Amino acid sequence: METTVPERGAGGRGAPAPRRPGRSPALSSGTGKAAARVAAFAVCQAALVAGAGLLITGPARELWPMTAEDAVVEALVDARTATLTTASTVVSALGDTGTVVGLTLLVCLALVLVPRLPLWRETVFLAAAVSLQSAVFLLVTASVDRTRPDVERLDDSPPTSSYTSGHTGAATALYAGLAVLVLSRVRAPWRAPLAALLLLLPLLVGLARLYRGMHHPTDVAGGLMNGSLSLLVVGRAALAGHSWAARPPADATDIAVAAAEQRPAPVRKQAAVIVNPTVTDAATRDRLRLVLAQHGHHDTPFIDTTAQDPGGGQTAGALRAGAELIVVCGGDGTVRTVADALAGTGVPLVLVPCGTGNLLARNLGLPLGPADALAAGLAGEPRTLDLGRIEGDGFPTVHFTAMAGAGLDAAMLEETSDRAKSALGWPAYVLAGAKGLRAPRMRLTVSLDGGPELHRTARMVLIANIGTVQAGAAPVPAARPDDGLLDLAVFDPRGAGGWLRAAGVLLRGGGRGGDAEEPGANGPAPGTGGRDTAGTSRAADSARGPVEFHTFRRAELSFTRPQPREVDGDPVGPGLRLAAEVRPGALTVLLPARER
């Protein structure tokens, strides 16, 4: 929002000059100031832990409870048994340097690499807390010289001082840090028991170090203090809700939207945003409102989908109300229902990926961040894409944008819960797919473009408008959403070798390989983008490998017994039949010019 600044009078009084563009304090992160405070408090932490150690080994060494420490360690030594010694070995290993570093690295990689889970603040919090604990430990052991208990020790004595317990400090920083993340990020009912278990682990590590004769009780207490202070110092700076780094005010987005709306802008098409509320939170909506305002779309309505109407009715209603541009914010299922309503209308669509798979957006090379994808689409140009139209027994005729299929992939989708998808992202599908491997092969008959019937067995069949899926896998590598064709992939691997060859086809991501059927030798049909259709010719059955490919304009699939089926990631129930045909250029999508 633009403000006026009164001119300075003769006395030099008045408001300060306007800040330079791009230097809004409402949107600054305060990272430098937070880092300086972390450093200052880390010095204080080291001084506190070291001071406690010097007190324990100096003026307070003849006071209780220091005078009772040796008796506690000796009592634990006297209570040793083979079972307890084995248990203490396992528990003590949880605080080993290698274990702590390895687990920290794995957790941090998961926090930033798992789709829909990138948590940069949480990653910095955990990595910095473990690192700070280690740095303070090294400083303290160099300044506090304390010998280890005079008992039989079960581990080799490292050159460091007995104070503090490095195992206990590292375990506190790691496992208590994980407990903080579980309590702050997980909403499942098991979060409290899991957090309690994680908080218990540092105490068990400390007890194991006492049992093994490696530390005095106050050494363990010093380790607990060091790890806890590391979490407190780093957490205050890194985690959301902290007070050290400057945070945007609660109405920062409203201020930015108001400023964008006051800027003159050319007349824009009337737009509507179709939103799946289960995958789009309030913060994402605020960012999308800001991007829309920055591109001249003011007061754009956001229309939520429902379980009963996942997007088609809302899109039709927006079109009746005069919408000339539709923005869809959701996963593959939401995109499918909106595209189904837009098929053949010519009204352009902007894709904002917010789901688990986001297959169409991935294949079009769009950014996977919602705000970035919206900005790219609004600044893009119209491009026509094909849609597939599919029908079967038990569900009505619908359009799909990415893939439909039967067999293993559909069973995998049915077995994946919403909770698993929310927590793990697309890897949840892989875990669920293991159950489907026990199902018997399907038997099916395939008819392509009116040609002779093909009789096949298969683990799954895919009807594809796009080629690649998550993690770079390409189950139908030659499929393109604008070539006027659909692709059929029949997966029938047998034995370990067949599965390995099928995996090779998936991961190569190139054209059809030797394990796949080449669709003909009679030359490409007109309008097929240089690719033959399967209806013109086929390879001999003897040439088939674990994955067989065809292209077509219309296909009919019949199964000897009901098979699980899916359309764009949504299960549609088991059935005996699928029929699909391509609708060339039926959907208009706004894409960046470089994608043309």
Side-chain angles (χ1 to χ4, degrees):
M1 181 162 45
E2 199 174 279
T3 57
T4 58
V5 181
E7 296 182 356
R8 294 182 181 273
R13 301 180 63 183
R19 296 181 178 86
R20 290 180 290 118
R23 302 292 297 176
S24 170
L27 300 178
S28 64
S29 64
T31 303
K33 185 181 295 184
R37 291 194 176 186
V38 168
F41 276 89
V43 172
C44 295
Q45 172 187 337
L48 178 62
V49 178
L54 294 173
L55 180 65
I56 290 170
T57 58
R61 67 178 180 275
E62 299 300 332
L63 301 177
W64 189 91
M66 274 61 74
T67 55
E69 289 191 292
D70 290 341
V72 172
V73 176
E74 291 170 358
L76 290 173
V77 170
D78 292 340
R80 286 176 180 171
T81 65
T83 301
L84 289 178
T85 298
T86 301
S88 72
T89 302
V90 175
V91 174
S92 179
L94 295 176
D96 284 346
T97 300
T99 302
V100 171
V101 171
L103 287 177
T104 302
L105 179 61
L106 288 176
V107 172
C108 289
L109 288 174
L111 288 174
V112 299
L113 294 181
V114 172
R116 296 196 65 225
L117 193 63
L119 299 173
W120 290 101
R121 285 185 178 272
E122 288 75 3
T123 303
V124 171
F125 162 70
L126 192 63
V130 172
S131 301
L132 175 58
Q133 178 280 144
S134 178
V136 172
F137 164 74
L138 293 175
L139 290 173
V140 170
T141 56
S143 58
V144 179
D145 185 14
R146 189 180 199 189
T147 59
R148 297 186 182 274
D150 187 18
V151 296
E152 179 188 1
R153 293 188 285 275
L154 300 181
D155 297 325
D156 295 333
S157 298
T160 55
S161 168
S162 180
Y163 181 90
T164 64
S165 171
H167 282 67
T168 308
T172 302
L174 174 59
Y175 302 115
L178 290 174
V180 170
L181 298 186
V182 168
L183 291 174
S184 62
R185 302 297 304 187
V186 177
R187 293 294 176 263
W190 44 262
R191 68 173 188 146
L194 177 58
L197 175 61
L198 290 169
L199 291 172
L200 181 62
L201 289 180
L203 300 176
L204 293 177
V205 170
L207 180 60
R209 300 304 287 167
L210 295 177
Y211 175 88
R212 300 180 71 79
M214 301 306 297
H215 293 286
H216 307 87
T218 48
D219 301 335
V220 171
L224 292 170
M225 178 170 63
N226 184 25
S228 300
L229 288 175
S230 298
L231 293 172
L232 178 62
V233 169
V234 176
R236 290 282 288 178
L239 294 181
H242 58 82
S243 59
W244 286 359
R247 289 179 292 156
D251 59 348
T253 301
D254 294 334
I255 295 172
V257 170
E261 290 179 342
Q262 288 188 4
R263 292 198 299 264
V267 176
R268 301 290 186 184
K269 292 182 177 180
Q270 181 178 338
V273 183
I274 310 301
V275 182
N276 183 340
T278 64
V279 295
T280 311
D281 57 20
T284 300
R285 291 174 187 249
D286 287 342
R287 289 192 291 270
L288 297 180
R289 283 198 303 119
L290 176 57
V291 173
L292 286 164
Q294 289 172 335
H295 286 79
H297 295 280
H298 304 154
D299 300 321
T300 302
F302 279 58
I303 308 170
D304 285 354
T305 65
T306 64
Q308 295 74 28
D309 189 346
Q314 293 86 347
T315 304
L319 295 177
R320 288 194 297 270
E324 303 169 287
L325 172 67
I326 298 295
V327 178
V328 57
C329 184
D332 293 319
T334 308
V335 171
R336 181 193 65 77
T337 55
V338 172
D340 188 48
L342 290 177
T345 65
V347 175
L349 177 68
V350 175
L351 298 172
V352 178
C354 293
T356 305
N358 306 312
L359 297 185
L360 184 59
R362 291 176 189 272
N363 279 263
L364 295 175
L366 288 172
L368 296 183
D372 293 337
L374 177 59
L378 293 176
E381 299 177 357
R383 170 177 161 184
T384 57
L385 302 179
D386 305 334
L387 288 176
R389 182 163 54 191
I390 192 165
E391 61 179 316
D393 51 314
F395 70 92
T397 302
V398 294
H399 290 89
F400 66 93
T401 63
M403 294 182 179
L408 180 60
D409 71 313
M412 177 176 64
L413 292 165
E414 288 181 349
E415 292 290 338
T416 306
S417 66
D418 291 339
R419 177 178 296 177
K421 288 192 291 184
S422 177
L424 300 177
W426 64 262
Y429 294 131
V430 178
L431 297 177
K435 298 180 180 179
L437 295 177
R438 297 192 297 267
R441 283 180 170 80
M442 70 175 83
R443 294 184 177 275
L444 69 152
T445 300
V446 181
S447 176
L448 302 173
D449 295 332
E453 292 184 343
L454 306 177
H455 299 280
R456 298 290 187 262
T457 60
R459 287 290 183 182
M460 71 176 181
V461 292
L462 291 178
I463 301 170
N465 191 38
I466 52 98
T468 61
V469 293
Q470 300 93 334
V476 195
R480 300 291 182 270
D482 59 355
D483 60 0
L485 296 170
L486 294 177
D487 285 58
L488 174 69
V490 181
F491 290 80
D492 192 25
R494 296 174 182 271
W499 283 105
L500 288 175
R501 293 166 66 197
V505 173
L506 291 175
L507 297 178
R508 276 199 300 268
R512 297 178 178 87
D515 296 332
E517 177 183 330
E518 292 292 349
N522 294 336
T528 63
R531 295 198 288 139
D532 296 337
T533 65
T536 57
S537 64
R538 298 168 188 82
D541 286 359
S542 60
R544 294 202 309 272
V547 187
E548 176 184 354
F549 295 108
H550 299 273
T551 55
F552 65 90
R553 294 185 180 89
R554 178 172 176 81
E556 296 188 8
L557 284 66
S558 300
F559 311 104
T560 57
R561 62 170 177 264
Q563 297 295 329
R565 300 168 300 176
E566 58 88 10
V567 177
D568 272 351
D570 289 334
V572 292
L576 294 169
R577 176 177 172 270
L578 284 175
E581 64 179 345
V582 66
R583 288 197 61 189
L587 181 67
T588 302
V589 178
L590 293 184
L591 296 176
R594 60 183 175 83
E595 300 296 335
R596 287 181 63 92

